[in-house]
Every structure is written in C-alpha cells, then in structure tokens.
Amino acid sequence: GAGVSQSPSNKVTEKGKDVELRCDPISGHTALYWYRQSLGQGLEFLIYFQGNSAPDKSGLPSDRFSAERTGGSVSTLTIQRTQQEDSAVYLCASSSLQGDEQYFGPGTRLTVT
Amino acid sequence: AQSVAQPEDQVNVAEGNPLTVKCTYSVSGNPYLFWYVQYPNRGLQFLLKYITGDNLVKGSYGFEAEFNKSQTSFHLKKPSALVSDSALYFCAVRATRGSGYALNFGKGTSLLVTP
C-alpha cells in the first residue's frame, strides 16, 4: 500500500519568504507528526495531530511556524519569513494509534539562502 | 523527561560479523522503545519496538534488540552483518501523552559494514 508522501522533496527559498510543506499520511492513520532533522539539533519533534486537532504546539520553534490538518488526512506545515536556521529536512510521520509505531515520509529538504 | 542516548557516533563491522548498536534510556515509568534506520536521502524506516513482554525483540531485516531493565539499555543486534546494513540508526523512546506520544530520538549511530 501507499506510504507517507511529502512534497516537495526539495525546496530552496530566499530568506524572508514563506514556504508550505505538505504531508499525505497513510490512509486511515489518525495520528500525524512533524519532525525536523538538522545537523546541529538531530531529530526534533515539532507538532502532532490527532484527527484535525493539534493539542500541543509547544514543539514549534517559533511563532513563524504553523501547521494544519484537514479532513483528518493531509497536513501542511507553513513557515513564514524563513530564516537560514530553518534549513533542515522536515519529516512527517503517521500512525494508526497514538503511541504505536510511526511510519515516516521521505522528507522535504528545505534550504534557505 | 523521556530520553535515550546513543554513545557511539559510528560503528564499524566487517561483513559476516555480529553487530551491536548501543542505546540506553532514561524514563519515568515503563519505557516504550523503538529502533529506526535511515538510508541516505531516505526517511526513517521502522525496525522494531519494545512495549512489554519478552526482553528479546525481533524486527525487520534480521535485526533484534535486547531490553535490559537493570542496565536501562536497548541495544540493537544482528548475528551477521551485511554491507547493505550500512546506514544511520536511531534509537527512540515514546514521549509523554501530551505530545501525542511523539518520539524522542537519540542522536543516531552511523553503521559501516565493510566487505
């Protein structure tokens, strides 16, 4: 079956521009997670969704970051006024139940110039 | 806070030899532990998990992990390494319910299997 997909696979943007990253989870998975992978910080948890709700947004690094999920499926991570320190690989994962194993997408590599 | 540590940045093994990638954990309550593998320019792939039960957990691609409560360890093992096992390996622990049980990852261990 189809796994988690993310788009775009690569994104290069200029500092100060806004970007949107998309995640399509495995069909039927109610839990969806965003992580960020960077050389300096390793793998960091950003936000999770249960259905369309995001009960805890404390993992988002700043108020420039926001995310939404619609229809209990697709999620979009938006970064406004991008900064060079936002450069990283953004990974999305989904699971059928909270706490169960998570299945990861291939990631979006974001480069801010 | 729930956390894991991977003490080795890199592990080198000759093909055919057994391999071990180390992980120790620090949790309050019962640990829920995972191993993931990441191949170059790919996302993370689930290998195995420990929730409860047998201390020896078997997973994908011939990998297994041993849960040791007294040593707070969850080392990844494979009896005979393959060159294709060369990748980045992450140990992870389930975080709190407030995060939706997100994963807290170790910094990763690079495994290099030489022919």
PDB file of all heavy atoms in Angstrom, chain A residues 4 9 15 18 22 26 31 35 45 48-49 58 73 78-80 84 86 90 98 102-105 110:
ATOM      1  N   VAL A   4       3.652   7.100   3.513  1.00  0.00           N
ATOM      2  CA  VAL A   4       3.539   8.535   3.745  1.00  0.00           C
ATOM      3  C   VAL A   4       4.269   9.259   2.620  1.00  0.00           C
ATOM      4  O   VAL A   4       5.402   8.900   2.290  1.00  0.00           O
ATOM      5  CB  VAL A   4       4.161   8.918   5.104  1.00  0.00           C
ATOM      6  CG1 VAL A   4       4.073  10.429   5.321  1.00  0.00           C
ATOM      7  CG2 VAL A   4       3.467   8.164   6.237  1.00  0.00           C
ATOM      8  N   SER A   9       9.967  17.476  -2.522  1.00  0.00           N
ATOM      9  CA  SER A   9      11.082  16.729  -1.944  1.00  0.00           C
ATOM     10  C   SER A   9      12.224  17.678  -1.592  1.00  0.00           C
ATOM     11  O   SER A   9      12.952  17.444  -0.626  1.00  0.00           O
ATOM     12  CB  SER A   9      11.568  15.651  -2.896  1.00  0.00           C
ATOM     13  OG  SER A   9      11.901  16.209  -4.140  1.00  0.00           O
ATOM     14  N   LYS A  15      15.641  33.897   2.018  1.00  0.00           N
ATOM     15  CA  LYS A  15      15.349  34.369   3.369  1.00  0.00           C
ATOM     16  C   LYS A  15      14.222  35.396   3.334  1.00  0.00           C
ATOM     17  O   LYS A  15      14.207  36.293   2.496  1.00  0.00           O
ATOM     18  CB  LYS A  15      16.616  34.989   3.961  1.00  0.00           C
ATOM     19  CG  LYS A  15      16.447  35.591   5.349  1.00  0.00           C
ATOM     20  CD  LYS A  15      17.758  36.210   5.811  1.00  0.00           C
ATOM     21  CE  LYS A  15      17.562  36.965   7.119  1.00  0.00           C
ATOM     22  NZ  LYS A  15      18.834  37.590   7.583  1.00  0.00           N
ATOM     23  N   ASP A  18       7.848  32.921   2.523  1.00  0.00           N
ATOM     24  CA  ASP A  18       7.052  31.896   3.201  1.00  0.00           C
ATOM     25  C   ASP A  18       7.117  30.599   2.408  1.00  0.00           C
ATOM     26  O   ASP A  18       7.209  30.621   1.179  1.00  0.00           O
ATOM     27  CB  ASP A  18       5.588  32.336   3.299  1.00  0.00           C
ATOM     28  CG  ASP A  18       5.397  33.606   4.122  1.00  0.00           C
ATOM     29  OD1 ASP A  18       6.370  34.061   4.777  1.00  0.00           O
ATOM     30  OD2 ASP A  18       4.277  34.141   4.113  1.00  0.00           O
ATOM     31  N   ARG A  22       3.984  19.887   2.491  1.00  0.00           N
ATOM     32  CA  ARG A  22       2.766  19.074   2.521  1.00  0.00           C
ATOM     33  C   ARG A  22       3.078  17.638   2.929  1.00  0.00           C
ATOM     34  O   ARG A  22       4.129  17.102   2.563  1.00  0.00           O
ATOM     35  CB  ARG A  22       2.114  19.086   1.144  1.00  0.00           C
ATOM     36  CG  ARG A  22       0.872  18.217   0.996  1.00  0.00           C
ATOM     37  CD  ARG A  22       0.419  18.158  -0.445  1.00  0.00           C
ATOM     38  NE  ARG A  22      -0.588  17.125  -0.655  1.00  0.00           N
ATOM     39  CZ  ARG A  22      -1.870  17.379  -0.841  1.00  0.00           C
ATOM     40  NH1 ARG A  22      -2.328  18.633  -0.861  1.00  0.00           N
ATOM     41  NH2 ARG A  22      -2.726  16.382  -1.018  1.00  0.00           N
ATOM     42  N   ILE A  26      -0.523   7.870   5.704  1.00  0.00           N
ATOM     43  CA  ILE A  26      -1.103   6.598   5.303  1.00  0.00           C
ATOM     44  C   ILE A  26      -2.609   6.664   5.548  1.00  0.00           C
ATOM     45  O   ILE A  26      -3.057   7.143   6.603  1.00  0.00           O
ATOM     46  CB  ILE A  26      -0.453   5.447   6.073  1.00  0.00           C
ATOM     47  CG1 ILE A  26       1.013   5.295   5.636  1.00  0.00           C
ATOM     48  CG2 ILE A  26      -1.207   4.145   5.858  1.00  0.00           C
ATOM     49  CD1 ILE A  26       1.813   4.300   6.459  1.00  0.00           C
ATOM     50  N   ALA A  31      -3.224   9.620  13.685  1.00  0.00           N
ATOM     51  CA  ALA A  31      -2.180  10.444  14.296  1.00  0.00           C
ATOM     52  C   ALA A  31      -1.143  10.838  13.251  1.00  0.00           C
ATOM     53  O   ALA A  31      -0.716  10.008  12.447  1.00  0.00           O
ATOM     54  CB  ALA A  31      -1.510   9.685  15.435  1.00  0.00           C
ATOM     55  N   TYR A  35       8.392  16.333  12.320  1.00  0.00           N
ATOM     56  CA  TYR A  35       9.703  16.405  12.952  1.00  0.00           C
ATOM     57  C   TYR A  35      10.634  17.208  12.041  1.00  0.00           C
ATOM     58  O   TYR A  35      10.381  17.380  10.848  1.00  0.00           O
ATOM     59  CB  TYR A  35      10.321  15.005  13.129  1.00  0.00           C
ATOM     60  CG  TYR A  35       9.589  14.080  14.065  1.00  0.00           C
ATOM     61  CD1 TYR A  35       8.524  13.296  13.605  1.00  0.00           C
ATOM     62  CD2 TYR A  35       9.971  13.951  15.401  1.00  0.00           C
ATOM     63  CE1 TYR A  35       7.853  12.431  14.451  1.00  0.00           C
ATOM     64  CE2 TYR A  35       9.306  13.080  16.255  1.00  0.00           C
ATOM     65  CZ  TYR A  35       8.264  12.328  15.770  1.00  0.00           C
ATOM     66  OH  TYR A  35       7.604  11.466  16.618  1.00  0.00           O
ATOM     67  N   PHE A  45      10.988  16.880  17.548  1.00  0.00           N
ATOM     68  CA  PHE A  45       9.548  16.838  17.383  1.00  0.00           C
ATOM     69  C   PHE A  45       9.006  18.265  17.289  1.00  0.00           C
ATOM     70  O   PHE A  45       9.409  19.140  18.049  1.00  0.00           O
ATOM     71  CB  PHE A  45       8.928  16.114  18.572  1.00  0.00           C
ATOM     72  CG  PHE A  45       7.454  16.328  18.745  1.00  0.00           C
ATOM     73  CD1 PHE A  45       6.558  15.781  17.835  1.00  0.00           C
ATOM     74  CD2 PHE A  45       6.968  17.065  19.800  1.00  0.00           C
ATOM     75  CE1 PHE A  45       5.200  15.973  17.996  1.00  0.00           C
ATOM     76  CE2 PHE A  45       5.608  17.262  19.970  1.00  0.00           C
ATOM     77  CZ  PHE A  45       4.725  16.710  19.069  1.00  0.00           C
ATOM     78  N   TYR A  48       2.035  17.479  16.705  1.00  0.00           N
ATOM     79  CA  TYR A  48       1.290  16.301  16.318  1.00  0.00           C
ATOM     80  C   TYR A  48      -0.182  16.653  16.160  1.00  0.00           C
ATOM     81  O   TYR A  48      -0.682  17.608  16.756  1.00  0.00           O
ATOM     82  CB  TYR A  48       1.498  15.163  17.306  1.00  0.00           C
ATOM     83  CG  TYR A  48       0.455  15.095  18.425  1.00  0.00           C
ATOM     84  CD1 TYR A  48      -0.633  14.235  18.341  1.00  0.00           C
ATOM     85  CD2 TYR A  48       0.589  15.871  19.562  1.00  0.00           C
ATOM     86  CE1 TYR A  48      -1.558  14.165  19.360  1.00  0.00           C
ATOM     87  CE2 TYR A  48      -0.335  15.806  20.589  1.00  0.00           C
ATOM     88  CZ  TYR A  48      -1.410  14.948  20.484  1.00  0.00           C
ATOM     89  OH  TYR A  48      -2.335  14.878  21.494  1.00  0.00           O
ATOM     90  N   PHE A  49      -0.855  15.849  15.363  1.00  0.00           N
ATOM     91  CA  PHE A  49      -2.285  15.976  15.152  1.00  0.00           C
ATOM     92  C   PHE A  49      -2.968  14.658  15.513  1.00  0.00           C
ATOM     93  O   PHE A  49      -2.479  13.585  15.175  1.00  0.00           O
ATOM     94  CB  PHE A  49      -2.609  16.284  13.680  1.00  0.00           C
ATOM     95  CG  PHE A  49      -2.241  17.673  13.266  1.00  0.00           C
ATOM     96  CD1 PHE A  49      -0.973  17.961  12.784  1.00  0.00           C
ATOM     97  CD2 PHE A  49      -3.168  18.699  13.346  1.00  0.00           C
ATOM     98  CE1 PHE A  49      -0.629  19.245  12.386  1.00  0.00           C
ATOM     99  CE2 PHE A  49      -2.835  19.988  12.955  1.00  0.00           C
ATOM    100  CZ  PHE A  49      -1.566  20.254  12.484  1.00  0.00           C
ATOM    101  N   SER A  58       3.705  23.154  21.460  1.00  0.00           N
ATOM    102  CA  SER A  58       4.883  23.694  22.145  1.00  0.00           C
ATOM    103  C   SER A  58       6.194  23.308  21.478  1.00  0.00           C
ATOM    104  O   SER A  58       7.228  23.922  21.741  1.00  0.00           O
ATOM    105  CB  SER A  58       4.896  23.223  23.602  1.00  0.00           C
ATOM    106  OG  SER A  58       4.962  21.816  23.665  1.00  0.00           O
ATOM    107  N   SER A  73      -6.684  14.085   7.166  1.00  0.00           N
ATOM    108  CA  SER A  73      -5.721  13.470   6.257  1.00  0.00           C
ATOM    109  C   SER A  73      -4.528  14.394   6.026  1.00  0.00           C
ATOM    110  O   SER A  73      -3.650  14.467   6.866  1.00  0.00           O
ATOM    111  CB  SER A  73      -6.407  13.111   4.942  1.00  0.00           C
ATOM    112  OG  SER A  73      -5.508  12.517   4.046  1.00  0.00           O
ATOM    113  N   THR A  78       3.565  25.311   7.574  1.00  0.00           N
ATOM    114  CA  THR A  78       3.895  26.600   6.971  1.00  0.00           C
ATOM    115  C   THR A  78       4.957  27.302   7.797  1.00  0.00           C
ATOM    116  O   THR A  78       4.846  27.372   9.030  1.00  0.00           O
ATOM    117  CB  THR A  78       2.647  27.494   6.872  1.00  0.00           C
ATOM    118  OG1 THR A  78       1.652  26.827   6.082  1.00  0.00           O
ATOM    119  CG2 THR A  78       2.986  28.826   6.224  1.00  0.00           C
ATOM    120  N   ILE A  79       5.955  27.807   7.119  1.00  0.00           N
ATOM    121  CA  ILE A  79       6.989  28.605   7.774  1.00  0.00           C
ATOM    122  C   ILE A  79       6.957  29.986   7.139  1.00  0.00           C
ATOM    123  O   ILE A  79       7.163  30.135   5.925  1.00  0.00           O
ATOM    124  CB  ILE A  79       8.390  27.992   7.620  1.00  0.00           C
ATOM    125  CG1 ILE A  79       8.392  26.512   8.028  1.00  0.00           C
ATOM    126  CG2 ILE A  79       9.402  28.767   8.473  1.00  0.00           C
ATOM    127  CD1 ILE A  79       9.704  25.787   7.758  1.00  0.00           C
ATOM    128  N   GLN A  80       6.700  30.981   7.952  1.00  0.00           N
ATOM    129  CA  GLN A  80       6.648  32.355   7.453  1.00  0.00           C
ATOM    130  C   GLN A  80       7.994  33.035   7.666  1.00  0.00           C
ATOM    131  O   GLN A  80       8.721  32.734   8.620  1.00  0.00           O
ATOM    132  CB  GLN A  80       5.553  33.125   8.196  1.00  0.00           C
ATOM    133  CG  GLN A  80       4.149  32.612   7.930  1.00  0.00           C
ATOM    134  CD  GLN A  80       3.102  33.384   8.712  1.00  0.00           C
ATOM    135  OE1 GLN A  80       3.223  33.562   9.922  1.00  0.00           O
ATOM    136  NE2 GLN A  80       2.069  33.846   8.026  1.00  0.00           N
ATOM    137  N   GLN A  84      17.667  31.453   7.796  1.00  0.00           N
ATOM    138  CA  GLN A  84      18.659  30.447   7.415  1.00  0.00           C
ATOM    139  C   GLN A  84      18.664  29.275   8.400  1.00  0.00           C
ATOM    140  O   GLN A  84      18.901  28.128   7.995  1.00  0.00           O
ATOM    141  CB  GLN A  84      20.043  31.067   7.297  1.00  0.00           C
ATOM    142  CG  GLN A  84      20.185  31.941   6.056  1.00  0.00           C
ATOM    143  CD  GLN A  84      21.594  32.419   5.826  1.00  0.00           C
ATOM    144  OE1 GLN A  84      22.363  32.574   6.777  1.00  0.00           O
ATOM    145  NE2 GLN A  84      21.941  32.674   4.576  1.00  0.00           N
ATOM    146  N   ASP A  86      16.274  27.861   9.585  1.00  0.00           N
ATOM    147  CA  ASP A  86      15.156  26.954   9.300  1.00  0.00           C
ATOM    148  C   ASP A  86      15.580  25.854   8.321  1.00  0.00           C
ATOM    149  O   ASP A  86      14.831  24.895   8.108  1.00  0.00           O
ATOM    150  CB  ASP A  86      13.967  27.718   8.694  1.00  0.00           C
ATOM    151  CG  ASP A  86      13.419  28.790   9.614  1.00  0.00           C
ATOM    152  OD1 ASP A  86      13.588  28.664  10.854  1.00  0.00           O
ATOM    153  OD2 ASP A  86      12.832  29.767   9.106  1.00  0.00           O
ATOM    154  N   TYR A  90      12.496  18.294   6.817  1.00  0.00           N
ATOM    155  CA  TYR A  90      11.252  18.229   7.573  1.00  0.00           C
ATOM    156  C   TYR A  90      10.584  16.890   7.274  1.00  0.00           C
ATOM    157  O   TYR A  90      10.277  16.581   6.119  1.00  0.00           O
ATOM    158  CB  TYR A  90      10.361  19.412   7.226  1.00  0.00           C
ATOM    159  CG  TYR A  90      10.917  20.692   7.786  1.00  0.00           C
ATOM    160  CD1 TYR A  90      11.932  21.379   7.113  1.00  0.00           C
ATOM    161  CD2 TYR A  90      10.493  21.189   9.014  1.00  0.00           C
ATOM    162  CE1 TYR A  90      12.501  22.531   7.647  1.00  0.00           C
ATOM    163  CE2 TYR A  90      11.038  22.343   9.551  1.00  0.00           C
ATOM    164  CZ  TYR A  90      12.050  23.004   8.865  1.00  0.00           C
ATOM    165  OH  TYR A  90      12.614  24.137   9.395  1.00  0.00           O
ATOM    166  N   GLN A  98      -2.086   6.685  18.580  1.00  0.00           N
ATOM    167  CA  GLN A  98      -1.044   7.375  19.320  1.00  0.00           C
ATOM    168  C   GLN A  98      -0.222   6.354  20.086  1.00  0.00           C
ATOM    169  O   GLN A  98      -0.754   5.469  20.731  1.00  0.00           O
ATOM    170  CB  GLN A  98      -1.659   8.359  20.313  1.00  0.00           C
ATOM    171  CG  GLN A  98      -2.297   9.583  19.679  1.00  0.00           C
ATOM    172  CD  GLN A  98      -2.762  10.567  20.732  1.00  0.00           C
ATOM    173  OE1 GLN A  98      -2.185  10.659  21.804  1.00  0.00           O
ATOM    174  NE2 GLN A  98      -3.809  11.298  20.422  1.00  0.00           N
ATOM    175  N   GLN A 102       5.459   4.652  14.267  1.00  0.00           N
ATOM    176  CA  GLN A 102       5.196   5.703  13.300  1.00  0.00           C
ATOM    177  C   GLN A 102       5.888   5.373  11.990  1.00  0.00           C
ATOM    178  O   GLN A 102       6.995   4.836  11.973  1.00  0.00           O
ATOM    179  CB  GLN A 102       5.701   7.043  13.828  1.00  0.00           C
ATOM    180  CG  GLN A 102       4.998   7.479  15.104  1.00  0.00           C
ATOM    181  CD  GLN A 102       5.577   8.728  15.696  1.00  0.00           C
ATOM    182  OE1 GLN A 102       6.193   9.554  15.021  1.00  0.00           O
ATOM    183  NE2 GLN A 102       5.370   8.915  16.989  1.00  0.00           N
ATOM    184  N   TYR A 103       5.230   5.719  10.901  1.00  0.00           N
ATOM    185  CA  TYR A 103       5.766   5.492   9.572  1.00  0.00           C
ATOM    186  C   TYR A 103       6.083   6.849   8.962  1.00  0.00           C
ATOM    187  O   TYR A 103       5.227   7.732   8.919  1.00  0.00           O
ATOM    188  CB  TYR A 103       4.777   4.697   8.730  1.00  0.00           C
ATOM    189  CG  TYR A 103       4.597   3.296   9.262  1.00  0.00           C
ATOM    190  CD1 TYR A 103       3.637   3.012  10.216  1.00  0.00           C
ATOM    191  CD2 TYR A 103       5.451   2.275   8.846  1.00  0.00           C
ATOM    192  CE1 TYR A 103       3.513   1.737  10.746  1.00  0.00           C
ATOM    193  CE2 TYR A 103       5.318   0.987   9.365  1.00  0.00           C
ATOM    194  CZ  TYR A 103       4.353   0.730  10.305  1.00  0.00           C
ATOM    195  OH  TYR A 103       4.240  -0.526  10.839  1.00  0.00           O
ATOM    196  N   PHE A 104       7.315   6.970   8.511  1.00  0.00           N
ATOM    197  CA  PHE A 104       7.827   8.251   8.068  1.00  0.00           C
ATOM    198  C   PHE A 104       7.793   8.411   6.553  1.00  0.00           C
ATOM    199  O   PHE A 104       7.969   7.447   5.802  1.00  0.00           O
ATOM    200  CB  PHE A 104       9.278   8.433   8.540  1.00  0.00           C
ATOM    201  CG  PHE A 104       9.392   8.767   9.994  1.00  0.00           C
ATOM    202  CD1 PHE A 104       9.253   7.791  10.960  1.00  0.00           C
ATOM    203  CD2 PHE A 104       9.630  10.072  10.404  1.00  0.00           C
ATOM    204  CE1 PHE A 104       9.345   8.102  12.315  1.00  0.00           C
ATOM    205  CE2 PHE A 104       9.729  10.399  11.743  1.00  0.00           C
ATOM    206  CZ  PHE A 104       9.585   9.412  12.698  1.00  0.00           C
ATOM    207  N   GLY A 105       7.579   9.647   6.135  1.00  0.00           N
ATOM    208  CA  GLY A 105       7.734  10.002   4.742  1.00  0.00           C
ATOM    209  C   GLY A 105       9.200  10.257   4.412  1.00  0.00           C
ATOM    210  O   GLY A 105      10.051  10.246   5.302  1.00  0.00           O
ATOM    211  N   LEU A 110      14.608  21.526   3.061  1.00  0.00           N
ATOM    212  CA  LEU A 110      14.427  22.973   2.906  1.00  0.00           C
ATOM    213  C   LEU A 110      15.772  23.663   3.045  1.00  0.00           C
ATOM    214  O   LEU A 110      16.484  23.461   4.029  1.00  0.00           O
ATOM    215  CB  LEU A 110      13.460  23.507   3.970  1.00  0.00           C
ATOM    216  CG  LEU A 110      13.281  25.021   4.000  1.00  0.00           C
ATOM    217  CD1 LEU A 110      12.595  25.503   2.726  1.00  0.00           C
ATOM    218  CD2 LEU A 110      12.468  25.447   5.227  1.00  0.00           C
TER     219      LEU A 110
END
